[in-house]
Amino acid sequence: MSDQLRPRASLRTAVVWEVLKDALDRQVKAAGRDALDVLDTGGGTGNFAVPAARLGHHVTVVDPSPNALFALERRAAEAGVADRVRGVQGDILGLFDVVERGGFDAVLCHGVLEYVDDPAEGVRNAVTALRPSGALSLLAAGLGGAVLARALAGHFTEARQALADPAGRWGEGDPVPRRFTAEQLAELVSGAGLEVGAVHGVRVFADLVPGVLVDTEPGAMDALLKLEAAVAELPAFHSVATQLHVLGEKRP
């Protein structure tokens, strides 16, 4: 696993990164080029953009935050990939004000749909940015994980509220505007014309395990990472994951 994903951050990104890396490898073979053009919408400080650039790909990050883009520039320079990472201020609903249509082999849409007014339009824009055989990596907050977390914290009314709320929110103080089920995300992807390639549950256990145990118990971090990887593809665990990852592929 790449060193930038360790130690604690790996619990949040390891499963997604492995799926994404495999998808990029397949795109390299399909395109017949070693270097892909990758678009990372809402890519922030480069959690995925910089590792992708380290693989040799050219990454454009679109994010509304100037501070995040400044941190991205610094991070890319420190990683020695500044020539392969470009930051542009913008958002997914106004995507084509800042990037071209059909110009990318892969599009990342991570942690974006929760915050846009029209998630379906966001996914359609991401797909429109793809080349004829491109891939979409979609990561969003999972409904079941929030319900489980509120219940385990003793907030049973809030857990029930999240379960009943159309947006999956547990109350006015909920910092996440919208959550999804795996089925809802898959429908957004297929509705935009992509074939759903894989669905993974992310942070199934990581947010429920006490941090002190992971940080102090010898071998606990690696064991938890292996457990997360083992359950990520099992549909039974998608319903309790904090986040859900869907890979969509555009067939020529």
mmCIF file of all heavy atoms in Angstrom, residues 1-15 17-18 47 51 54 75 214-215 219-226 229:
data_model
loop_
_atom_site.group_PDB
_atom_site.id
_atom_site.type_symbol
_atom_site.label_atom_id
_atom_site.label_comp_id
_atom_site.label_asym_id
_atom_site.label_seq_id
_atom_site.Cartn_x
_atom_site.Cartn_y
_atom_site.Cartn_z
ATOM 1 N N MET A 1 0.846 -1.199 0.000
ATOM 2 C CA MET A 1 0.000 0.000 0.000
ATOM 3 C C MET A 1 0.879 1.246 0.000
ATOM 4 O O MET A 1 1.934 1.275 0.621
ATOM 5 C CB MET A 1 -0.880 0.000 1.249
ATOM 6 C CG MET A 1 -1.845 1.161 1.322
ATOM 7 S SD MET A 1 -2.863 1.016 2.788
ATOM 8 C CE MET A 1 -3.695 -0.529 2.409
ATOM 9 N N SER A 2 0.475 2.292 -0.693
ATOM 10 C CA SER A 2 1.255 3.514 -0.783
ATOM 11 C C SER A 2 1.454 4.132 0.588
ATOM 12 O O SER A 2 0.557 4.155 1.422
ATOM 13 C CB SER A 2 0.535 4.512 -1.705
ATOM 14 O OG SER A 2 0.329 3.945 -2.980
ATOM 15 N N ASP A 3 2.654 4.699 0.795
ATOM 16 C CA ASP A 3 2.968 5.226 2.115
ATOM 17 C C ASP A 3 2.089 6.387 2.516
ATOM 18 O O ASP A 3 1.857 6.642 3.694
ATOM 19 C CB ASP A 3 4.447 5.639 2.187
ATOM 20 C CG ASP A 3 4.824 6.668 1.145
ATOM 21 O OD1 ASP A 3 3.961 7.056 0.347
ATOM 22 O OD2 ASP A 3 5.994 7.087 1.138
ATOM 23 N N GLN A 4 1.555 7.123 1.533
ATOM 24 C CA GLN A 4 0.725 8.280 1.866
ATOM 25 C C GLN A 4 -0.620 7.887 2.448
ATOM 26 O O GLN A 4 -1.354 8.726 2.941
ATOM 27 C CB GLN A 4 0.521 9.175 0.623
ATOM 28 C CG GLN A 4 -0.377 8.592 -0.434
ATOM 29 C CD GLN A 4 0.407 7.757 -1.422
ATOM 30 O OE1 GLN A 4 1.543 7.381 -1.161
ATOM 31 N NE2 GLN A 4 -0.191 7.469 -2.545
ATOM 32 N N LEU A 5 -0.940 6.614 2.400
ATOM 33 C CA LEU A 5 -2.233 6.175 2.923
ATOM 34 C C LEU A 5 -2.146 5.703 4.368
ATOM 35 O O LEU A 5 -3.148 5.337 4.961
ATOM 36 C CB LEU A 5 -2.783 5.039 2.057
ATOM 37 C CG LEU A 5 -3.092 5.409 0.613
ATOM 38 C CD1 LEU A 5 -3.627 4.196 -0.120
ATOM 39 C CD2 LEU A 5 -4.081 6.543 0.531
ATOM 40 N N ARG A 6 -0.959 5.685 4.951
ATOM 41 C CA ARG A 6 -0.795 5.185 6.306
ATOM 42 C C ARG A 6 -0.523 6.334 7.264
ATOM 43 O O ARG A 6 0.008 7.365 6.875
ATOM 44 C CB ARG A 6 0.381 4.185 6.355
ATOM 45 C CG ARG A 6 0.070 2.867 5.662
ATOM 46 C CD ARG A 6 1.194 1.892 5.939
ATOM 47 N NE ARG A 6 0.922 0.600 5.375
ATOM 48 C CZ ARG A 6 0.197 -0.336 5.975
ATOM 49 N NH1 ARG A 6 -0.338 -0.108 7.142
ATOM 50 N NH2 ARG A 6 -0.003 -1.509 5.405
ATOM 51 N N PRO A 7 -0.834 6.169 8.586
ATOM 52 C CA PRO A 7 -1.458 4.977 9.143
ATOM 53 C C PRO A 7 -2.985 5.085 9.232
ATOM 54 O O PRO A 7 -3.708 4.272 8.695
ATOM 55 C CB PRO A 7 -0.848 4.875 10.531
ATOM 56 C CG PRO A 7 -0.579 6.301 10.912
ATOM 57 C CD PRO A 7 -0.279 7.033 9.623
ATOM 58 N N ARG A 8 -3.486 6.143 9.955
ATOM 59 C CA ARG A 8 -4.926 6.221 10.199
ATOM 60 C C ARG A 8 -5.714 6.520 8.924
ATOM 61 O O ARG A 8 -6.819 6.022 8.743
ATOM 62 C CB ARG A 8 -5.231 7.312 11.235
ATOM 63 C CG ARG A 8 -4.726 7.018 12.640
ATOM 64 C CD ARG A 8 -5.576 5.986 13.333
ATOM 65 N NE ARG A 8 -6.916 6.468 13.588
ATOM 66 C CZ ARG A 8 -7.876 5.730 14.096
ATOM 67 N NH1 ARG A 8 -7.637 4.462 14.390
ATOM 68 N NH2 ARG A 8 -9.079 6.218 14.301
ATOM 69 N N ALA A 9 -5.147 7.325 8.039
ATOM 70 C CA ALA A 9 -5.866 7.694 6.828
ATOM 71 C C ALA A 9 -6.189 6.473 5.976
ATOM 72 O O ALA A 9 -7.146 6.476 5.207
ATOM 73 C CB ALA A 9 -5.042 8.692 6.013
ATOM 74 N N SER A 10 -5.388 5.422 6.128
ATOM 75 C CA SER A 10 -5.610 4.226 5.320
ATOM 76 C C SER A 10 -6.951 3.579 5.630
ATOM 77 O O SER A 10 -7.542 2.918 4.777
ATOM 78 C CB SER A 10 -4.485 3.217 5.546
ATOM 79 O OG SER A 10 -4.378 2.871 6.911
ATOM 80 N N LEU A 11 -7.465 3.761 6.843
ATOM 81 C CA LEU A 11 -8.757 3.196 7.198
ATOM 82 C C LEU A 11 -9.874 3.846 6.392
ATOM 83 O O LEU A 11 -10.925 3.250 6.177
ATOM 84 C CB LEU A 11 -9.020 3.393 8.695
ATOM 85 C CG LEU A 11 -8.141 2.564 9.638
ATOM 86 C CD1 LEU A 11 -8.407 2.962 11.077
ATOM 87 C CD2 LEU A 11 -8.373 1.077 9.435
ATOM 88 N N ARG A 12 -9.661 5.059 5.929
ATOM 89 C CA ARG A 12 -10.689 5.784 5.184
ATOM 90 C C ARG A 12 -10.530 5.635 3.675
ATOM 91 O O ARG A 12 -11.483 5.828 2.929
ATOM 92 C CB ARG A 12 -10.640 7.275 5.554
ATOM 93 C CG ARG A 12 -10.901 7.543 7.021
ATOM 94 C CD ARG A 12 -10.829 9.037 7.334
ATOM 95 N NE ARG A 12 -11.088 9.291 8.739
ATOM 96 C CZ ARG A 12 -12.292 9.438 9.270
ATOM 97 N NH1 ARG A 12 -13.354 9.370 8.499
ATOM 98 N NH2 ARG A 12 -12.451 9.663 10.551
ATOM 99 N N THR A 13 -9.323 5.303 3.221
ATOM 100 C CA THR A 13 -9.076 5.350 1.779
ATOM 101 C C THR A 13 -8.590 4.046 1.166
ATOM 102 O O THR A 13 -8.603 3.918 -0.064
ATOM 103 C CB THR A 13 -8.025 6.435 1.459
ATOM 104 O OG1 THR A 13 -6.814 6.136 2.175
ATOM 105 C CG2 THR A 13 -8.514 7.811 1.863
ATOM 106 N N ALA A 14 -8.156 3.088 1.981
ATOM 107 C CA ALA A 14 -7.475 1.912 1.440
ATOM 108 C C ALA A 14 -8.332 1.131 0.451
ATOM 109 O O ALA A 14 -7.875 0.792 -0.652
ATOM 110 C CB ALA A 14 -7.019 1.000 2.580
ATOM 111 N N VAL A 15 -9.563 0.819 0.826
ATOM 112 C CA VAL A 15 -10.426 0.022 -0.049
ATOM 113 C C VAL A 15 -10.680 0.753 -1.363
ATOM 114 O O VAL A 15 -10.563 0.171 -2.454
ATOM 115 C CB VAL A 15 -11.761 -0.299 0.650
ATOM 116 C CG1 VAL A 15 -12.769 -0.873 -0.346
ATOM 117 C CG2 VAL A 15 -11.538 -1.271 1.799
ATOM 118 N N TRP A 17 -8.907 3.145 -2.761
ATOM 119 C CA TRP A 17 -7.687 3.289 -3.554
ATOM 120 C C TRP A 17 -7.365 2.013 -4.321
ATOM 121 O O TRP A 17 -6.988 2.058 -5.497
ATOM 122 C CB TRP A 17 -6.519 3.696 -2.679
ATOM 123 C CG TRP A 17 -5.213 3.675 -3.425
ATOM 124 C CD1 TRP A 17 -4.147 2.863 -3.226
ATOM 125 C CD2 TRP A 17 -4.856 4.516 -4.538
ATOM 126 N NE1 TRP A 17 -3.159 3.125 -4.142
ATOM 127 C CE2 TRP A 17 -3.564 4.132 -4.951
ATOM 128 C CE3 TRP A 17 -5.523 5.532 -5.229
ATOM 129 C CZ2 TRP A 17 -2.913 4.742 -6.023
ATOM 130 C CZ3 TRP A 17 -4.866 6.143 -6.304
ATOM 131 C CH2 TRP A 17 -3.577 5.755 -6.684
ATOM 132 N N GLU A 18 -7.518 0.870 -3.687
ATOM 133 C CA GLU A 18 -7.208 -0.384 -4.370
ATOM 134 C C GLU A 18 -8.145 -0.611 -5.553
ATOM 135 O O GLU A 18 -7.721 -1.040 -6.626
ATOM 136 C CB GLU A 18 -7.300 -1.558 -3.389
ATOM 137 C CG GLU A 18 -6.191 -1.578 -2.331
ATOM 138 C CD GLU A 18 -4.802 -1.573 -2.940
ATOM 139 O OE1 GLU A 18 -4.581 -2.277 -3.950
ATOM 140 O OE2 GLU A 18 -3.923 -0.857 -2.422
ATOM 141 N N ASN A 47 -5.988 13.772 -1.818
ATOM 142 C CA ASN A 47 -5.876 12.443 -1.215
ATOM 143 C C ASN A 47 -5.779 11.331 -2.258
ATOM 144 O O ASN A 47 -5.106 10.321 -2.030
ATOM 145 C CB ASN A 47 -7.068 12.171 -0.300
ATOM 146 C CG ASN A 47 -6.984 12.917 1.005
ATOM 147 O OD1 ASN A 47 -5.901 13.355 1.413
ATOM 148 N ND2 ASN A 47 -8.111 13.106 1.665
ATOM 149 N N PRO A 51 -1.627 10.411 -5.304
ATOM 150 C CA PRO A 51 -1.254 9.019 -5.587
ATOM 151 C C PRO A 51 -1.457 8.628 -7.048
ATOM 152 O O PRO A 51 -0.647 7.886 -7.614
ATOM 153 C CB PRO A 51 -2.183 8.211 -4.666
ATOM 154 C CG PRO A 51 -2.481 9.130 -3.538
ATOM 155 C CD PRO A 51 -2.565 10.493 -4.164
ATOM 156 N N ARG A 54 1.347 9.942 -8.982
ATOM 157 C CA ARG A 54 2.548 9.144 -8.747
ATOM 158 C C ARG A 54 2.599 7.916 -9.644
ATOM 159 O O ARG A 54 3.679 7.378 -9.909
ATOM 160 C CB ARG A 54 2.604 8.715 -7.276
ATOM 161 C CG ARG A 54 3.115 9.802 -6.338
ATOM 162 C CD ARG A 54 3.120 9.313 -4.914
ATOM 163 N NE ARG A 54 3.915 10.173 -4.059
ATOM 164 C CZ ARG A 54 3.976 10.068 -2.733
ATOM 165 N NH1 ARG A 54 3.281 9.112 -2.125
ATOM 166 N NH2 ARG A 54 4.724 10.879 -2.018
ATOM 167 N N ARG A 75 1.171 19.992 -1.790
ATOM 168 C CA ARG A 75 1.305 18.541 -1.608
ATOM 169 C C ARG A 75 1.873 17.881 -2.862
ATOM 170 O O ARG A 75 2.717 16.983 -2.774
ATOM 171 C CB ARG A 75 -0.067 17.954 -1.277
ATOM 172 C CG ARG A 75 -0.066 16.497 -0.911
ATOM 173 C CD ARG A 75 -1.469 16.105 -0.482
ATOM 174 N NE ARG A 75 -1.545 14.758 0.030
ATOM 175 C CZ ARG A 75 -2.640 14.231 0.585
ATOM 176 N NH1 ARG A 75 -3.723 14.975 0.698
ATOM 177 N NH2 ARG A 75 -2.640 13.006 1.028
ATOM 178 N N VAL A 214 -6.923 0.828 18.087
ATOM 179 C CA VAL A 214 -6.226 0.710 16.804
ATOM 180 C C VAL A 214 -4.809 1.268 16.897
ATOM 181 O O VAL A 214 -3.868 0.725 16.315
ATOM 182 C CB VAL A 214 -7.017 1.433 15.700
ATOM 183 C CG1 VAL A 214 -6.263 1.404 14.373
ATOM 184 C CG2 VAL A 214 -8.388 0.801 15.534
ATOM 185 N N ASP A 215 -4.656 2.353 17.657
ATOM 186 C CA ASP A 215 -3.363 3.028 17.727
ATOM 187 C C ASP A 215 -2.370 2.336 18.667
ATOM 188 O O ASP A 215 -1.159 2.483 18.500
ATOM 189 C CB ASP A 215 -3.554 4.479 18.183
ATOM 190 C CG ASP A 215 -4.292 5.309 17.128
ATOM 191 O OD1 ASP A 215 -4.224 4.951 15.944
ATOM 192 O OD2 ASP A 215 -4.934 6.300 17.518
ATOM 193 N N GLY A 219 -0.438 -4.703 15.897
ATOM 194 C CA GLY A 219 -1.044 -5.416 14.778
ATOM 195 C C GLY A 219 -2.491 -5.094 14.513
ATOM 196 O O GLY A 219 -3.066 -5.588 13.533
ATOM 197 N N ALA A 220 -3.104 -4.266 15.354
ATOM 198 C CA ALA A 220 -4.530 -3.985 15.204
ATOM 199 C C ALA A 220 -4.838 -3.239 13.904
ATOM 200 O O ALA A 220 -5.839 -3.515 13.243
ATOM 201 C CB ALA A 220 -5.048 -3.192 16.404
ATOM 202 N N MET A 221 -3.990 -2.298 13.537
ATOM 203 C CA MET A 221 -4.223 -1.515 12.324
ATOM 204 C C MET A 221 -4.263 -2.413 11.089
ATOM 205 O O MET A 221 -5.211 -2.362 10.292
ATOM 206 C CB MET A 221 -3.131 -0.457 12.156
ATOM 207 C CG MET A 221 -3.221 0.323 10.857
ATOM 208 S SD MET A 221 -4.638 1.423 10.777
ATOM 209 C CE MET A 221 -4.106 2.690 11.927
ATOM 210 N N ASP A 222 -3.255 -3.249 10.939
ATOM 211 C CA ASP A 222 -3.213 -4.132 9.771
ATOM 212 C C ASP A 222 -4.371 -5.120 9.778
ATOM 213 O O ASP A 222 -4.955 -5.423 8.731
ATOM 214 C CB ASP A 222 -1.881 -4.890 9.724
ATOM 215 C CG ASP A 222 -0.735 -4.011 9.250
ATOM 216 O OD1 ASP A 222 -1.004 -3.007 8.557
ATOM 217 O OD2 ASP A 222 0.422 -4.316 9.573
ATOM 218 N N ALA A 223 -4.709 -5.619 10.951
ATOM 219 C CA ALA A 223 -5.810 -6.581 11.047
ATOM 220 C C ALA A 223 -7.132 -5.925 10.668
ATOM 221 O O ALA A 223 -7.962 -6.543 9.984
ATOM 222 C CB ALA A 223 -5.884 -7.156 12.459
ATOM 223 N N LEU A 224 -7.328 -4.693 11.095
ATOM 224 C CA LEU A 224 -8.560 -3.981 10.761
ATOM 225 C C LEU A 224 -8.623 -3.671 9.267
ATOM 226 O O LEU A 224 -9.680 -3.790 8.636
ATOM 227 C CB LEU A 224 -8.665 -2.694 11.580
ATOM 228 C CG LEU A 224 -9.923 -1.840 11.368
ATOM 229 C CD1 LEU A 224 -11.196 -2.658 11.561
ATOM 230 C CD2 LEU A 224 -9.917 -0.641 12.314
ATOM 231 N N LEU A 225 -7.496 -3.296 8.692
ATOM 232 C CA LEU A 225 -7.452 -3.041 7.262
ATOM 233 C C LEU A 225 -7.823 -4.292 6.467
ATOM 234 O O LEU A 225 -8.577 -4.229 5.492
ATOM 235 C CB LEU A 225 -6.047 -2.568 6.858
ATOM 236 C CG LEU A 225 -5.703 -1.113 7.183
ATOM 237 C CD1 LEU A 225 -4.217 -0.872 6.977
ATOM 238 C CD2 LEU A 225 -6.512 -0.164 6.319
ATOM 239 N N LYS A 226 -7.296 -5.438 6.891
ATOM 240 C CA LYS A 226 -7.607 -6.698 6.209
ATOM 241 C C LYS A 226 -9.078 -7.058 6.365
ATOM 242 O O LYS A 226 -9.707 -7.577 5.439
ATOM 243 C CB LYS A 226 -6.709 -7.813 6.749
ATOM 244 C CG LYS A 226 -5.238 -7.661 6.354
ATOM 245 C CD LYS A 226 -4.380 -8.741 6.987
ATOM 246 C CE LYS A 226 -2.910 -8.560 6.613
ATOM 247 N NZ LYS A 226 -2.040 -9.558 7.292
ATOM 248 N N ALA A 229 -11.114 -4.863 4.025
ATOM 249 C CA ALA A 229 -10.989 -5.332 2.646
ATOM 250 C C ALA A 229 -11.813 -6.594 2.420
ATOM 251 O O ALA A 229 -12.409 -6.784 1.352
ATOM 252 C CB ALA A 229 -9.517 -5.597 2.324
#
